[in-house]
Amino acid sequence: MSLISALQFLRLNEIPEAWVDAVWDLEFTKRIPLDDTIAGHLSVNGTLQVNSISSIIWSILGENHVSIKSLVAVLSFFVLAGKAKKASVQQRVSGLHAASLYLLLLGVQGSIAAKVFHEVLLDTCSDLTSHCWPQDSRKKRKKDGPKSSQADGKRSRPQWKDTPEMEVNEADDEEEEEEEDEEELHFSAQDLVKIRDAVVLLVQSLLRLLQTFSLKDRPQSADNCTQIFSKLLHFEPVTGEMTFANPHDVTQLRSVPEMAFCGLQVLCSSKHGDQKESLRRVFHQLLYIILMMNKGDRGKPSLLIPSQAVLSTRDQTIHFVCHLVNELKEIALPVLQILLQHICFQMVEKSDFRSHGAQAVGMLTSQMTSKDYACFIKWLFKFSNSSKMVCRLFSVDVVMVLLEQPERGPQECQDPELSCFLPHKFLIQNLLFARRVDESPSVQGHALACLAQCLELPSFNVTRAVHNLFSASMNAHTLWTDWQELVSRLCRHVYTESVLICLINAAKENLAHLLRRIKDSKTHVRKSALQVPGKLKCYHFKYCASRCVIPLSLENLATLSERCRDPAVSVKKKAMQCVAELLAAKPDSSMVQKAWLQSVVSALVDPENSVRDKALEALDQVLLSHLKPYSASLHLDAGQRLTWDLLGLLCSECRNLSWYFSRAFTIWSKQNKFTEALIGNLISHTEADHAAGAWLLLSKVTNVTATTCCHILCVMGDIAEHLNKDTKDRIVADLMSWLKTFTLSLDVICAAVETLYQLGRSKEIKQTQAFLSLHCGELMSVCEAYLAGVLLRERGAQNLNEELMVKHLHTLGVASLHCPAKVSKRTVLLVESVLMIHSDKLAGQEELPASLSQFKANSLPSRVRAHGVLTLGKLCLQHEELVKKYLPVFARELEVGTEVAVRNNLVVIMCDLSIRYTNRVDNYIPNISACLQDSEAVIRVHTLIMLTNLLQEEFVKWKGSLFFHFMVALVDPVPSVVSLCEYCLVQVLLKDNPEMFSQHFIECIFHFSDYNKHKSYNRFPQSEREKARFSLKGPQHREKRFRIYRFLLEHFTDTQRFNITVKINQTILACFADEELQLDADGAEVLSETFNILSLKEIKLQAMSAPIESTEGEEPEDENMATIVKAVLQVAQKKVVSQVQKKAFIENTVPLIISLKSLLEQKRSPVLRDLMAYLHVTMQDYRNEVKDLFSGDEQLAAELEFDLKTAEKESEISKQVDNCSLTREGSPVRSAALLPFIFATPQPPRPNTLAARLAHTDR
């Protein structure tokens, strides 16, 4: 459309001059309505689209008597109409066309003289695109999104996922509230195309204007244009690669973002003022695009969702900045330094934003000269020590990106003070590794994780720099080469040897620090630290086989294995990966092999499924995948050698892992891992040097564990059903001949009899019984004949073969389990005779002595008697009448027996009998638990294990004194027994019964004080011998009692702590206050014990004193927010808990304390001192409310206030004395003790109240 046609359409001659003057007077800030007739004409279909204007426009306007003032006023009418929020499509298009026409007029020479220019109208026209394009009205859709999701019954997503921005300013919220009643406008695809074409026309007009119209004296307009072009970068996606060359014709630009970049480049030209200032202005706007933020007019910048469009715009912006730097060179480099610093300072904590930001920094620094790059690294070093955690965290990300770039040599920088910042070694040692001691666990963990990643970079200098941090055995030449420049610069007269010693010591300290971080309390730190050892070891064997990075010591390997049992799942997985890397790096090391087995095999019973799966996968890859047919002519490859070495360890030094290893085969069998080919491969190895490992695997396939010979027997038993009758008979004959020789070991005898049972088993039960009666009965007859020859003949035991006697007894017991019908009275009496010499028994006497020790002494060794007890127990398992007969004898022998092996076997027998004959053995559980105080530690350990198993399987209940016997085991003199007892109680039994400790706590107070006058507690029957053996009464056992109390309270929940405090008030303090319990010597001891327990710090609610902990397992960017949320919740929780606790204290405790204090004062009881000590500890939390809490006893309140103030003053004086020091030649000297003040007259003794209080509170 030509300009003349557009002017005719506008009918400027009909526009009233008064309206035009009013528009100019308001400076185009408000739309003034026109006459309805004229407005109706202007609103009909028409267009103001003008693509260009000739330079003779002013003469044309003059010839047509067109008022420029009226023209500008009418154009502003269209512009302001299109800017309205409820503007129609036609109004928006007309407004964009009018704005484009105004900009074209302004670009014609003479526009200033013609008074066309107005700064407000220029800014309004330039920014019209943000008002006319409908995507900018997204505030409406933000409110509608959650409504629709709720209407669909779906859970609403977080706000930052529903909106283009992650944060919304308060000002936007206010605007939304104002627009609640407005109707949402909908645009069709054709409407959007019309508006987009009009936007393109306007942007092209703005570009033409900037090419001719200078903004040098108009900085505000230059700022507005910069902001407008920055917004347009997000207008639409750009297809294809973008070039930033400045075209001669703006119509050649394909997309709006390309036009925007062109406009920004034009604004940086000298035509629009100082280029440095223009660059600063442009970079300031591009900063938020690089950071993926939306910088509004008000409020803080908000994060954008890192969608593909946002990331694409960010990448284009970075390339544009690089293009400007290449074009402007020296002018742009100082401004680029500022841009980089702002990127670093304004970075947020989220990992994806940090990652993209670091990549941007890396790309931009690649455009720098070496001197400017060194200056930035120097600044980055200072930045890495910022007080803000996110700054230190981001500095690590930047270092990792810079390490991937080619290293710059010191010779590239002429400034010697800056050249030291160029090598990658400086980045690793001074920026990255220095963060290992950061105060934030997130930064520590991230730095250690990045340190491990450095070892995977292709740069040899990077990996060597990391290696040098930990290498404690480097040669002098290498060390001196690396540090010569630093040493020469620091001091010219330092001996080389002393420098090397310092560096080696520093490497050792770095390694020790790394191992400490592996044991750190924070999950993220432990996980990150575990990545380093494996990577270091891999690097060591790849590049520097002659030097050792981390010594393969048992201590270091034990540290890694321990992390495989870490409470955090992610740490366990990382530790297993680390040990696997070590095994791959050094498969021939026996120590590494053992560490790998300890780590992986034990993980098969981990409660976490993913950990078990990882362990199974590792075992499959290392053990099963390398099983190939054996051939003597072929050498084993590295993988096969490792497999058989590991299996050999499982057969010898690591046999304790056999049970865990069986779990893997149980799972693999369900997965059909054991194919015929695999079993055939194993069988082919049974005649090789490593046959033990092959038989181990074959036995595991059958789910049985034993020695190598036992493995073979078990395999034979499991395949028995597939053998023909002749083969079975031949094997049975061989087994019987071997068993009758009694040359087999005890384990093999058990396996052989079990295999015999497997070979004789059939579908017919009678046939099976007949087979067992024949063969097992024959074995029993042979054993009975031998025993009779030894026991019944005179001097038969003089030349006794102890080993042969034991094997006969063992065979008799094992065989009797398979054919109980063959057990005769003679059999029982023969076994009984092993324990005594009593010929009358065989003649028919039936009475038994009270215990085995009361039989007539015989000359049989203790080992034979111990196995005789085991055999007698096996006979009892199949005959209940024998249990009834011998059980009292067994119980009595536990009390008075002197032989350790016999007592130990009796514990095992009675616990096994408890499983089969639970009701009969139940009455003898106190006799078994009494062995927890046996004089021999091995018996105490076995008793603890056996009783724990019975309790876990619920064959035994917590009745009578059993719980208190376990408690006494907590203070056993042997630390290993204490540790085992703690494990059994906490890790096994408490998990099944979480209320176990709290249910027995009150009774512990009465039981361990030996107080039985309470009507409900400590009323169960106990023998005098049992009381004496487990007694903890008296001041000499006070420390043991409180160790038990502390242990129980430490494993209470806060709910249990609160309830137990209330229960103590009701069942102990109230009974003494109401004089239901007499305050005699025993009562005073119980009451004193109670006050001391209430003073323990372990009984205080953890919610009131627990520090704020970061969320385990959270990523670093989420940890800060998680910590803030947890802190807020913890403060609220503390407030609620404090109110509940205070209410309970006022209602339940205070009246009892006042009553007890009065009673104790009347009786002048020494317990009053414990009561006051308890109040002193408790009132620390209510020191400002003493008078209110104890309003019923003003004297007590006054005493407490005075006591608290005195203690506070004494504490301050003590701190001042401790902080006082004398300095001599700059070194602090311990302050001398203050001499006591000497009075002129004798003074009464003054007790040390602070020491007295500490004696009662520090318990």
Side-chain angles (χ1 to χ4, degrees):
M1 184 179 186
S2 65
L3 178 62
I4 300 301
S5 301
L7 296 177
Q8 292 175 354
F9 167 73
L10 293 176
R11 298 188 179 185
L12 297 177
N13 296 329
E14 300 179 10
I15 304 300
E17 292 186 5
W19 180 86
V20 173
D21 293 337
V23 171
W24 278 87
D25 291 341
L26 291 176
E27 296 188 346
F28 309 102
T29 57
K30 184 177 180 181
R31 184 186 183 211
I32 300 177
L34 270 171
D35 181 74
D36 293 340
T37 304
I38 300 175
H41 170 72
L42 293 178
S43 62
V44 298
N45 291 334
T47 179
L48 292 174
Q49 181 176 354
V50 179
N51 296 324
S52 62
I53 298 179
S54 64
S55 58
I56 58 173
I57 182 61
W58 310 122
S59 60
I60 295 176
L61 293 177
E63 293 174 359
N64 290 273
H65 306 287
V66 176
S67 171
I68 297 178
K69 188 175 182 180
S70 299
L71 174 61
V72 172
V74 172
L75 291 178
S76 71
F77 174 81
F78 284 98
V79 169
L80 294 176
K83 186 180 178 181
K85 295 175 182 177
K86 296 195 293 184
S88 63
V89 175
Q90 184 59 42
Q91 287 177 321
R92 292 170 190 250
V93 172
S94 299
L96 290 168
H97 288 166
S100 175
L101 178 57
Y102 175 76
L103 295 179
L104 290 175
L105 287 172
L106 196 60
V108 178
Q109 187 177 2
S111 60
I112 303 296
K115 297 182 179 181
V116 175
F117 174 77
H118 192 283
E119 189 168 6
V120 174
L121 186 56
L122 170 62
D123 294 340
T124 303
C125 292
S126 301
D127 194 31
L128 191 59
T129 55
S130 61
H131 299 281
C132 291
W133 187 246
Q135 279 188 345
D136 280 354
S137 61
R138 58 178 176 265
K139 297 184 181 66
K140 274 285 183 175
R141 291 191 294 276
K142 285 193 287 187
K143 294 176 67 175
D144 293 342
K147 290 181 180 178
S148 62
S149 64
Q150 292 173 3
D152 295 339
K154 299 179 181 179
R155 186 178 65 173
S156 60
R157 297 164 121 190
Q159 182 181 5
W160 64 272
K161 291 185 178 179
D162 288 338
T163 64
E165 301 174 4
M166 294 186 182
E167 299 174 4
V168 182
N169 297 330
E170 295 180 2
D172 296 336
D173 296 337
E174 294 176 0
E175 292 177 7
E176 290 181 11
E177 292 177 0
E178 295 174 359
E179 299 168 1
E180 282 183 353
D181 298 331
E182 296 180 6
E183 295 182 359
E184 184 178 358
L185 297 175
H186 299 279
F187 299 92
S188 65
Q190 294 179 347
D191 296 337
L192 293 177
V193 170
K194 292 180 181 179
I195 298 175
R196 193 260 179 194
D197 293 339
V199 168
V200 170
L201 182 64
L202 175 60
V203 176
Q204 291 175 349
S205 300
L206 181 58
L207 289 177
R208 291 189 180 98
L209 172 66
L210 293 177
Q211 290 174 351
T212 57
F213 190 83
S214 174
L215 300 179
K216 181 184 298 184
D217 300 327
R218 298 173 179 84
Q220 183 63 41
S221 296
D223 284 339
N224 290 336
C225 289
T226 304
Q227 292 180 18
I228 292 165
F229 285 130
S230 299
K231 293 178 183 178
L232 291 175
L233 295 178
H234 293 290
F235 185 83
E236 61 186 4
V238 179
T239 57
E241 187 176 353
M242 183 180 295
T243 59
F244 302 104
N246 199 353
H248 297 289
D249 187 2
V250 296
T251 58
Q252 297 177 358
L253 298 175
R254 298 170 298 171
S255 62
V256 174
E258 287 183 281
M259 300 177 192
F261 281 122
C262 179
L264 292 173
Q265 189 170 356
V266 172
L267 287 172
C268 292
S269 63
S270 57
K271 182 180 184 65
H272 296 284
D274 181 49
Q275 285 187 288
K276 284 188 177 180
E277 183 63 24
S278 299
L279 276 173
R280 185 202 63 77
R281 185 186 300 119
V282 170
F283 283 4
H284 175 70
Q285 293 298 325
L286 298 182
L287 166 67
Y288 298 102
I289 299 178
I290 296 174
L291 293 174
M292 295 186 291
M293 295 181 179
N294 181 26
K295 182 67 169 68
D297 297 333
R298 295 170 290 182
K300 296 180 179 180
S302 54
L303 299 180
L304 299 174
I305 299 176
S307 61
Q308 187 61 38
V310 172
L311 291 174
S312 176
T313 303
R314 164 196 162 276
D315 294 339
Q316 294 162 5
T317 303
I318 295 173
H319 288 297
F320 176 69
V321 173
C322 294
H323 171 75
L324 288 180
V325 173
N326 287 330
E327 290 290 326
L328 300 179
K329 303 294 183 182
E330 298 297 330
I331 299 176
L333 286 175
V335 188
L336 180 61
Q337 286 274 7
I338 299 174
L339 174 63
L340 290 171
Q341 293 175 12
H342 276 276
I343 292 175
C344 295
F345 263 116
Q346 299 195 36
M347 183 52 58
V348 295
E349 197 174 347
K350 295 185 174 297
S351 62
D352 47 354
F353 284 82
R354 290 201 330 267
S355 175
H356 291 303
Q359 292 294 335
V361 172
M363 293 181 63
L364 295 177
T365 53
S366 65
Q367 306 299 317
M368 289 181 163
T369 63
S370 294
K371 181 179 180 180
D372 292 318
Y373 176 82
C375 290
F376 173 73
I377 299 301
K378 182 179 180 180
W379 176 88
L380 185 65
F381 174 70
K382 298 178 181 178
F383 175 76
S384 67
N385 296 298
S386 171
S387 58
K388 293 183 177 181
M389 187 269 287
V390 63
C391 296
R392 303 193 301 273
L393 199 63
F394 184 63
S395 68
V396 175
D397 294 310
V398 173
V399 167
M400 289 303 298
V401 173
L402 296 180
L403 289 175
E404 295 177 359
Q405 297 181 358
E407 186 173 14
R408 305 188 186 213
Q411 66 277 4
E412 298 181 23
C413 181
Q414 298 179 354
D415 190 343
E417 295 184 358
L418 295 176
S419 60
C420 63
F421 296 102
L422 294 178
H424 284 167
K425 182 176 66 178
F426 178 84
L427 296 175
I428 292 174
Q429 296 180 350
N430 297 78
L431 277 81
L432 181 58
F433 191 63
R435 291 300 99 212
R436 75 194 186 282
V437 292
D438 196 275
E439 61 185 10
S440 170
S442 298
V443 181
Q444 286 183 21
H446 190 50
L448 290 171
C450 291
L451 192 68
Q453 294 174 16
C454 289
L455 293 168
E456 299 178 351
L457 296 177
S459 172
F460 178 76
N461 289 339
V462 172
T463 52
R464 185 179 65 174
V466 178
H467 172 271
N468 292 350
L469 292 171
F470 300 99
S471 178
S473 59
M474 299 179 63
N475 58 68
H477 175 74
T478 304
L479 279 171
W480 179 246
T481 301
D482 290 342
W483 291 88
Q484 186 176 14
E485 180 183 356
L486 177 62
V487 172
S488 61
R489 187 167 66 252
L490 292 178
C491 90
R492 302 278 183 182
H493 306 287
V494 179
Y495 292 101
T496 303
E497 183 178 358
S498 63
V499 173
L500 296 180
I501 292 174
C502 292
L503 295 176
I504 291 175
N505 291 336
K508 292 181 178 179
E509 175 57 31
N510 291 340
L511 178 58
H513 181 85
L514 176 63
L515 295 176
R516 288 195 297 271
R517 293 282 72 79
I518 291 177
K519 301 178 182 179
D520 196 89
S521 60
K522 300 295 182 180
T523 300
H524 185 66
V525 177
R526 297 197 303 273
K527 178 182 175 183
S528 301
L530 279 168
Q531 300 179 38
V532 182
K535 296 291 189 300
L536 275 175
K537 188 58 62 179
C538 294
Y539 168 81
H540 160 60
F541 284 101
K542 184 176 181 181
Y543 294 108
C544 42
S546 62
R547 293 178 289 173
C548 180
V549 185
I550 296 182
L552 288 178
S553 64
L554 291 175
E555 181 182 0
N556 294 342
L557 292 174
T559 300
L560 296 178
S561 296
E562 183 183 354
R563 289 305 102 206
C564 292
R565 295 176 291 277
D566 194 272
V569 175
S570 59
V571 177
K572 282 188 280 195
K573 292 181 179 179
K574 185 59 65 177
M576 291 172 61
Q577 179 183 344
C578 179
V579 177
E581 291 173 352
L582 288 177
L583 183 67
K586 195 165 185 182
D588 298 328
S589 172
S590 176
M591 287 191 298
V592 176
Q593 292 172 0
K594 292 178 186 177
W596 186 84
L597 286 174
Q598 293 284 350
S599 305
V600 176
V601 177
S602 60
L604 292 172
V605 294
D606 194 271
E608 180 63 32
N609 290 334
S610 58
V611 177
R612 294 200 301 270
D613 294 342
K614 191 175 183 66
L616 279 170
E617 181 184 357
L619 287 171
D620 189 5
Q621 292 176 354
V622 177
L623 296 182
L624 298 187
S625 62
H626 293 288
L627 292 176
K628 299 177 181 178
Y630 175 73
S631 175
S633 61
L634 297 177
H635 293 286
L636 299 177
D637 58 28
Q640 289 176 306
R641 287 198 304 271
L642 176 61
T643 297
W644 295 113
D645 287 345
L646 293 171
L647 291 173
L649 288 173
L650 286 171
C651 292
S652 55
E653 300 178 43
C654 298
R655 289 181 60 186
N656 59 319
L657 299 174
S658 181
W659 181 81
Y660 302 103
F661 195 40
S662 301
R663 297 292 297 271
F665 285 81
T666 303
I667 300 173
W668 283 336
S669 63
K670 298 177 182 178
Q671 300 172 353
N672 297 323
K673 289 273 186 182
F674 307 121
T675 61
E676 292 183 5
L678 177 64
I679 296 176
N681 293 341
L682 288 175
I683 294 175
S684 68
H685 287 270
T686 54
E687 297 181 0
D689 295 337
H690 47 265
W695 283 113
L696 171 67
L697 288 182
L698 285 171
S699 67
K700 294 299 179 183
V701 171
T702 61
N703 198 25
V704 180
T705 60
T707 59
T708 303
C709 188
C710 296
H711 294 162
I712 300 172
L713 290 170
C714 294
V715 173
M716 293 170 59
D718 277 284
I719 65 173
E721 60 181 343
H722 304 290
L723 302 178
N724 56 41
K725 187 177 184 303
D726 293 339
T727 305
K728 287 183 180 181
D729 292 341
R730 190 169 61 253
I731 295 174
V732 168
D734 291 340
L735 286 177
M736 289 297 295
S737 63
W738 292 341
L739 287 169
K740 290 176 184 179
T741 62
F742 295 97
T743 57
L744 305 177
S745 66
L746 301 183
D747 289 339
V748 177
I749 290 174
C750 291
V753 174
E754 180 64 26
T755 303
L756 198 65
Y757 163 72
Q758 296 282 356
L759 290 168
R761 188 174 57 178
S762 64
K763 297 180 180 178
E764 297 272 343
I765 297 178
K766 291 183 179 180
Q767 292 181 5
T768 304
Q769 290 176 346
F771 176 88
L772 293 175
S773 296
L774 175 62
H775 295 88
C776 292
E778 183 180 351
L779 290 175
M780 291 179 63
S781 299
V782 175
C783 294
E784 289 177 11
Y786 176 82
L787 293 177
V790 174
L791 299 172
L792 300 182
R793 291 179 184 176
E794 292 185 7
R795 300 180 181 179
Q798 288 183 354
N799 298 320
L800 176 67
N801 186 333
E802 180 180 333
E803 188 67 26
L804 195 58
M805 185 72 171
V806 167
K807 290 181 179 179
H808 277 84
L809 284 170
H810 185 73
T811 304
L812 177 60
V814 173
S816 67
L817 293 175
H818 292 283
C819 55
K822 289 291 184 178
V823 177
S824 63
K825 188 175 183 180
R826 176 183 173 84
T827 307
V828 177
L829 293 177
L830 280 172
V831 176
E832 183 182 307
S833 297
V834 174
L835 310 173
M836 65 171 185
I837 293 179
H838 205 314
S839 59
D840 294 338
K841 288 288 295 179
L842 297 177
Q845 185 179 342
E846 296 297 332
E847 294 182 2
L848 280 174
S851 78
L852 301 177
S853 299
Q854 294 177 1
F855 290 134
K856 293 181 180 179
N858 57 35
S859 57
L860 295 178
S862 176
R863 180 167 177 251
V864 175
R865 289 169 57 83
H867 279 277
V869 169
L870 284 177
T871 303
L872 187 59
K874 292 173 183 175
L875 297 178
C876 292
L877 281 173
Q878 298 287 357
H879 300 84
E880 188 172 0
E881 66 276 5
L882 294 181
V883 177
K884 182 179 179 181
K885 181 178 180 181
Y886 286 102
L887 199 55
V889 182
F890 292 161
R892 180 63 177 166
E893 180 67 15
L894 284 178
E895 296 181 4
V896 300
T898 58
E899 294 174 308
V900 176
V902 172
R903 296 202 311 276
N904 185 73
N905 288 349
L906 283 172
V907 172
V908 177
I909 290 171
M910 295 185 71
C911 290
D912 285 344
L913 291 175
S914 177
I915 297 175
R916 183 145 192 177
Y917 307 106
T918 305
N919 293 332
R920 285 196 177 277
V921 186
D922 194 52
N923 295 330
Y924 295 95
I925 292 299
N927 300 81
I928 302 175
S929 64
C931 293
L932 292 172
Q933 279 295 88
D934 194 276
S935 58
E936 295 294 330
V938 63
I939 296 180
R940 300 199 296 272
V941 169
H942 288 166
T943 305
L944 198 55
I945 295 172
M946 299 295 291
L947 285 176
T948 300
N949 290 334
L950 293 177
L951 286 164
Q952 188 180 20
E953 298 297 332
E954 296 187 354
F955 290 109
V956 173
K957 303 293 184 181
W958 289 115
K959 295 193 300 184
S961 57
L962 180 58
F963 181 84
F964 309 102
H965 290 180
F966 265 79
M967 293 298 103
V968 175
L970 287 172
V971 292
D972 193 277
V974 179
S976 59
V977 177
V978 176
S979 177
L980 177 62
C981 184
E982 290 178 352
Y983 172 81
C984 292
L985 287 170
V986 177
Q987 301 298 331
V988 179
L989 300 175
L990 188 62
K991 289 184 176 180
D992 294 335
N993 184 10
E995 302 295 327
M996 178 178 67
F997 288 170
S998 59
Q999 288 172 350
H1000 292 86
F1001 188 81
I1002 300 291
E1003 194 153 14
C1004 280
I1005 301 175
F1006 291 105
H1007 178 76
F1008 292 130
S1009 300
D1010 197 16
Y1011 188 85
N1012 51 15
K1013 298 178 183 179
H1014 197 282
K1015 61 183 180 180
S1016 302
Y1017 295 104
N1018 201 27
R1019 309 296 295 180
F1020 50 84
Q1022 298 180 82
S1023 65
E1024 292 300 325
R1025 186 175 180 276
E1026 184 181 355
K1027 286 184 179 180
R1029 176 176 281 195
F1030 289 91
S1031 175
L1032 292 181
K1033 184 180 181 181
Q1036 70 274 19
H1037 297 300
R1038 182 183 183 280
E1039 179 59 30
K1040 292 183 178 180
R1041 295 197 304 272
F1042 275 84
R1043 278 165 57 188
I1044 295 173
Y1045 298 145
R1046 287 194 185 96
F1047 173 82
L1048 295 175
L1049 290 170
E1050 284 172 356
H1051 295 91
F1052 275 25
T1053 63
D1054 270 355
T1055 302
Q1056 291 172 340
R1057 290 188 181 94
F1058 180 82
N1059 291 336
I1060 206 66
T1061 305
V1062 175
K1063 199 170 182 180
I1064 287 175
N1065 290 335
Q1066 296 172 349
T1067 58
I1068 301 180
L1069 299 185
C1071 289
F1072 281 105
D1074 298 338
E1075 298 190 25
E1076 293 181 14
L1077 298 177
Q1078 296 302 315
L1079 201 59
D1080 51 13
D1082 292 339
E1085 186 177 344
V1086 172
L1087 188 58
S1088 174
E1089 188 104 333
T1090 303
F1091 283 128
N1092 291 331
I1093 291 172
L1094 291 171
S1095 301
L1096 292 173
K1097 64 179 181 180
E1098 287 81 4
I1099 205 171
K1100 292 183 178 295
L1101 302 186
Q1102 296 301 309
M1104 301 296 295
S1105 57
I1108 299 173
E1109 299 178 356
S1110 62
T1111 304
E1112 293 289 336
E1114 292 287 347
E1115 294 298 326
E1117 68 272 9
D1118 298 328
E1119 183 176 352
N1120 190 33
M1121 180 59 67
T1123 303
I1124 294 174
V1125 173
K1126 192 170 185 178
V1128 173
L1129 293 176
Q1130 191 170 4
V1131 170
Q1133 182 186 17
K1134 281 185 177 182
K1135 186 175 181 180
V1136 174
V1137 172
S1138 178
Q1139 293 174 352
V1140 174
Q1141 189 180 29
K1142 180 180 176 182
K1143 181 180 179 182
F1145 182 72
I1146 294 174
E1147 295 179 355
N1148 301 327
T1149 307
V1150 171
L1152 292 174
I1153 293 298
I1154 295 175
S1155 178
L1156 281 173
K1157 180 177 179 292
S1158 176
L1159 179 63
L1160 293 173
E1161 287 176 342
Q1162 291 176 8
K1163 295 185 177 290
R1164 297 185 179 181
S1165 173
V1167 183
L1168 182 61
R1169 180 180 59 182
D1170 299 297
L1171 183 147
M1172 295 303 295
Y1174 157 67
L1175 285 178
H1176 176 265
V1177 174
T1178 306
M1179 295 309 296
Q1180 295 291 338
D1181 299 329
Y1182 309 107
R1183 61 177 61 203
N1184 298 324
E1185 305 174 60
V1186 176
K1187 289 185 178 180
D1188 297 335
L1189 294 177
F1190 291 94
S1191 57
D1193 192 335
E1194 296 181 358
Q1195 180 182 354
L1196 177 58
E1199 291 177 4
L1200 280 174
E1201 282 191 330
F1202 177 78
D1203 199 21
L1204 291 171
K1205 290 179 181 178
T1206 304
E1208 189 174 353
K1209 290 180 180 179
E1210 290 178 351
S1211 178
E1212 291 178 359
I1213 294 173
S1214 178
K1215 289 180 181 179
Q1216 292 176 2
V1217 170
D1218 292 339
N1219 293 332
C1220 289
S1221 62
L1222 298 176
T1223 304
R1224 181 179 299 168
E1225 296 181 356
S1227 61
V1229 180
R1230 182 177 295 181
S1231 58
L1234 298 178
L1235 296 176
F1237 187 83
I1238 302 176
F1239 289 91
T1241 58
Q1243 300 292 319
R1246 301 181 63 185
N1248 188 346
T1249 56
L1250 179 61
R1253 290 189 192 93
L1254 292 176
H1256 291 286
T1257 58
D1258 189 18
R1259 293 170 177 167

